[in-house]
Amino acid sequence: MSKLESIKCSFCEESAITIINYAKLRLCKKHFIEFIQKRVLNTIERYDLIKNNWKVLVAISGGKDSAVMLHILSNLSKQLNFKIIALHINLGIGKYSENAKYNAEKLCNDLSIPLILLDIKNIIGMNLLEIKRKNKRPICSICGLLKRYFINTIAIETKANVVAIGHHMDDLLSYVIKNFILQNINEISKLGPKTETKELFIGRIRPLYEISEKETSLYAFIQNLPRVEESCPYVDESSMEFEIKRFLNNMELRNPNFKIAFARALAKNINFYKKEEEEIKKCIKCGMPTSRDICAFCRLIEKTIGKSINVKNELKEIIEKLKVV
Ligand code: AMP
Ligand code: FES
Ligand code: ZN
Ligand code: ZN
């Protein structure tokens, strides 16, 4: 018998499956699920993430984190009166992307949530690996740029009020420390529980802001959520973020509540990190927000395929087919 099986849940007679040190609770499956859902509800209320009647575009990667986020938001959507549309971008990274797409579709099907499925090969004519071959930029940087651009464009075209992103507390805090070390101070201002909408940049919310990676994994496992188990093949586990995550977990072991206290303090001071506003222009090719005349996406596309493309027309068709606007 494992040590935990002999320990009772703090709220019922069932055996505890986990101990939440920072809350001094031992929880069975049912009470763990309730505890996490309640924490996300509190996060939404504490940071005013979603307003009545809003349309929330939930970006799902096919992995566990965004699956947990979608599952919890879908549970809360009636209570808080908001609508959900999910978005999955198929990047075309071989088997990994096929798996991610399969799981994203299955999850939305199970939850009866409309899904916008966007295949970058259909829009750009090349998948991520083919685009990478034509560019010197690191693959993850190209991938991030494409995802940001498509997520924002779809948010505008579907008239979403906000985009929900599945970063959890450990992701966010490790990025904060990494950006502090590198002195990318303005980047820290984008890592709080929300980033506000500004003209053509649709705001982001991070409902898992106070949920740890371990809690996210356990929730996905107990609920048996469709998800890809493996990470993207380009994730580098020797990177600075992973080292920082280990440091944060060690600190949490010695001082339960360390991570949540850090996250809350950061949220309180987030405006402190904001740089003076740069002038935001409209890209002369596609009309999306940019600090230059031509946005980073249009520059990448022109360099890669030698011409610009009208993404909005392509996306309109996809969105109209779904009748989700
Ligand atoms: P990452 O940047 O891969 O750590 O992912 C962070 C978040 O971005 C995820 O939790 C999702 O909300 C979103 N995301 C990542 N990949 C995709 C994708 N292929 N399609 C849609 N959203 C994604
Ligand atoms: Fe984009 Fe791995 S998910 S490079
Ligand atoms: Zn219980
Ligand atoms: Zn552009």
Side-chain angles (χ1 to χ4, degrees):
M1 208 199 305
S2 82
K3 212 173 151 196
L4 270 176
E5 276 175 63
S6 58
I7 301 176
K8 278 219 167 75
C9 170
S10 305
F11 298 118
C12 72
E13 293 301 305
E14 291 292 318
S15 299
I17 53 145
T18 186
I19 298 176
I20 311 280
N21 281 327
Y22 63 83
K24 298 195 174 66
L25 291 173
R26 304 168 306 266
L27 300 174
C28 67
K29 274 187 195 175
K30 172 174 170 271
H31 285 111
F32 171 73
I33 295 295
E34 280 182 20
F35 175 80
I36 295 296
Q37 292 180 347
K38 185 86 197 305
R39 278 197 84 82
V40 174
L41 174 63
N42 287 346
T43 302
I44 293 172
E45 291 176 343
R46 174 187 288 264
Y47 301 114
D48 195 17
L49 300 189
I50 302 176
K51 296 196 197 309
N52 185 36
N53 231 351
W54 266 15
K55 189 190 280 180
V56 180
L57 181 70
V58 182
I60 54 168
S61 64
K64 68 172 177 8
D65 306 337
S66 44
V68 169
M69 166 176 70
L70 184 64
H71 188 266
I72 298 177
L73 290 181
S74 142
N75 266 310
L76 292 173
S77 65
K78 261 215 176 101
Q79 185 185 342
L80 298 179
N81 191 34
F82 62 89
K83 258 198 260 161
I84 297 178
I85 304 170
L87 165 65
H88 175 72
I89 302 166
N90 181 6
L91 298 152
I93 310 176
K95 256 250 120 357
Y96 166 75
S97 289
E98 279 172 33
N99 234 330
K101 178 180 156 207
Y102 171 82
N103 283 289
E105 280 185 302
K106 175 146 186 9
L107 179 68
C108 291
N109 216 16
D110 291 356
L111 299 174
S112 303
I113 286 174
L115 169 68
I116 297 177
L117 199 58
L118 201 147
D119 197 322
I120 64 163
K121 179 119 186 174
N122 291 343
I123 296 173
I124 303 175
M126 288 185 192
N127 65 30
L128 181 64
L129 304 181
E130 290 163 336
I131 298 173
K132 166 61 201 154
R133 267 181 230 124
K134 302 236 168 199
N135 288 279
K136 288 207 185 73
R137 220 170 147 153
I139 189 158
C140 293
S141 145
I142 300 175
C143 174
L145 166 63
L146 296 176
K147 285 193 290 202
R148 277 194 302 279
Y149 186 84
F150 286 123
I151 288 175
N152 205 40
T153 314
I154 291 278
I156 292 173
E157 296 300 308
T158 53
K159 302 184 180 62
N161 298 90
V162 83
V163 177
I165 296 289
H167 284 137
H168 48 62
M169 182 166 63
D170 298 64
D171 283 335
L172 291 160
L173 297 182
S174 59
Y175 297 153
V176 167
I177 297 182
K178 178 183 170 182
N179 280 306
F180 183 77
I181 292 169
L182 300 174
Q183 285 296 289
N184 295 328
I185 298 299
N186 190 48
E187 288 303 305
I188 298 177
S189 71
K190 300 174 191 163
L191 296 168
K194 65 179 175 186
T195 318
E196 302 284 351
T197 293
K198 227 177 128 220
E199 294 172 39
L200 284 175
F201 173 82
I202 306 300
R204 306 288 143 104
I205 55 170
R206 301 172 187 95
L208 303 184
Y209 188 71
E210 295 193 0
I211 306 290
S212 71
E213 180 153 31
K214 193 176 141 218
E215 289 165 336
T216 311
S217 303
L218 186 56
Y219 187 101
F221 173 75
I222 294 175
Q223 297 281 26
N224 197 19
L225 298 181
R227 63 201 186 276
V228 262
E229 289 289 356
E230 65 275 20
S231 316
C232 160
Y234 299 101
V235 166
D236 174 11
E237 299 220 348
S238 65
S239 69
M240 198 195 305
E241 280 107 303
F242 282 83
E243 195 55 53
I244 296 171
K245 278 185 183 172
R246 282 188 279 275
F247 158 76
L248 287 169
N249 283 332
N250 281 334
M251 292 299 285
E252 179 81 17
L253 268 183
R254 280 196 240 161
N255 179 7
N257 206 34
F258 172 82
K259 289 194 276 191
I260 288 183
F262 181 11
R264 289 192 182 160
L266 177 78
K268 209 166 143 201
N269 289 333
I270 202 78
N271 288 334
F272 172 80
Y273 299 97
K274 270 200 188 124
K275 199 166 68 178
E276 281 211 0
E277 305 275 318
E278 260 185 16
E279 190 201 347
I280 300 194
K281 304 182 200 170
K282 274 189 179 179
C283 169
I284 55 172
K285 300 269 179 196
C286 71
M288 294 297 275
T290 174
S291 54
R292 314 248 296 250
D293 291 336
I294 301 179
C295 75
F297 174 81
C298 290
R299 277 184 273 132
L300 175 82
I301 295 303
E302 286 212 6
K303 192 166 170 233
T304 311
I305 62 173
K307 57 174 187 183
S308 48
I309 50 174
N310 190 336
V311 170
K312 274 191 192 156
N313 278 351
E314 312 263 350
L315 296 184
K316 265 205 178 98
E317 261 181 45
I318 297 175
I319 293 165
E320 271 162 21
K321 258 191 230 148
L322 271 159
K323 298 195 173 62
V324 291
V325 182

